[in-house]
Amino acid sequence: MMESKRYKYTLTLHYPTPTITRQICDAVSVDKELNASKVFRKCNANANTLNVNFASDNIKLLRISVTGMIDSLALATTAIDQFMDWQPTFDDEKG
């Protein structure tokens, strides 16, 4: 289904443990995509890496979906962060 969509985006984050990665993936996967017929979204936890794949034929809906997911990830990450001293890293982070 993702392959047939015109626009694609993958969000990749790294967490300190596979357990935290799975917990974050589970937390953000509870909310289903609002435009499921128009936007494909799949969350996958693999070891310490969280990947969220998006695809759509409508770039505006894709942007809305990605933005909503980033908000959900920020909330879930902040909740986990209240119990641990760590910071996630991003693939495109420079420095």
Side-chain angles (χ1 to χ4, degrees), residues 1-13 28-29 31-36 38-44 50-73:
M1 182 173 198
M2 185 171 165
E3 295 79 23
S4 65
K5 302 293 185 185
R6 182 175 177 189
Y7 303 104
K8 298 175 179 86
Y9 182 77
T10 299
L11 180 63
T12 301
L13 295 96
V28 299
S29 295
D31 295 328
K32 299 303 176 200
E33 181 60 47
L34 294 176
N35 292 299
K38 297 179 182 177
V39 178
F40 170 84
R41 180 184 80 195
K42 180 159 178 68
C43 184
N44 180 33
L50 177 74
N51 290 308
V52 186
N53 297 304
F54 301 85
S56 180
D57 288 325
N58 183 313
I59 193 126
K60 182 178 179 181
L61 291 177
L62 180 67
R63 179 186 56 81
I64 291 167
S65 181
V66 170
T67 301
M69 177 55 69
I70 290 171
D71 289 345
S72 294
L73 286 166

Side-chain angles (χ1 to χ4, degrees), residues 68-93:
M69 177 55 69
I70 290 171
D71 289 345
S72 294
L73 286 166
L75 180 62
T77 300
T78 300
I80 296 286
D81 188 40
Q82 297 299 310
F83 302 100
M84 301 184 73
D85 183 27
W86 61 274
Q87 293 294 318
T89 58
F90 302 86
D91 273 354
D92 59 347
E93 190 172 331

